[in-house]
Amino acid sequence: MKIDWDEDKRQLVLETRDIDFADLRDLLFLPYIEDQKNDAPEQYRIIGFCQGKLCSFIVEYREDGQEEHIWVVTAWNATKQERKAYEKETRGY
């Protein structure tokens, strides 16, 4: 699946939080959890490991007429609560 983002926002998050939106590609091949964050617009939180640290991404699933793609809204280092949720859900992988 194609992953897109606003390049200015990517650079800001990379500089301030040391998380690259492009790392979401690799994260999706490892154990991760996903839940719905907001209804309008429909946004989802994906929690998983990227570059050796547990991160949270907010994404939207969009269609461009030909295919569905993931739009990255933002990302941050996982909180304690997110870390606990990840550990609980992925235990046994």
Side-chain angles (χ1 to χ4, degrees):
M1 182 177 293
K2 187 171 140 184
I3 301 173
D4 293 314
W5 52 77
D6 176 273
E7 188 59 30
D8 290 337
K9 181 75 178 260
R10 174 181 170 255
Q11 288 300 323
L12 178 65
V13 171
L14 188 56
E15 291 170 15
T16 60
R17 301 178 186 159
D18 194 33
I19 299 171
D20 190 344
F21 290 177
D23 291 337
L24 181 60
R25 285 184 183 92
D26 294 334
L27 181 153
L28 295 174
F29 287 100
L30 300 170
Y32 67 90
I33 63 172
E34 181 176 4
D35 60 7
Q36 189 166 357
K37 189 72 174 157
N38 290 322
D39 289 333
E42 271 190 34
Q43 293 184 334
Y44 297 84
R45 177 177 59 181
I46 297 174
I47 304 170
F49 277 93
C50 61
Q51 299 299 320
K53 59 187 172 189
L54 195 61
C55 299
S56 295
F57 286 80
I58 300 297
V59 302
E60 297 173 1
Y61 292 97
R62 298 181 176 180
E63 288 191 38
D64 64 5
Q66 295 178 351
E67 64 179 341
E68 187 174 68
H69 65 276
I70 297 174
W71 179 262
V72 180
V73 177
T74 193
W76 60 83
N77 291 306
T79 65
K80 269 188 180 180
Q81 181 182 3
E82 290 167 335
R83 189 173 295 280
K84 285 181 183 179
Y86 176 84
E87 290 170 1
K88 179 182 176 186
E89 293 296 320
T90 61
R91 193 169 290 141
Y93 275 97

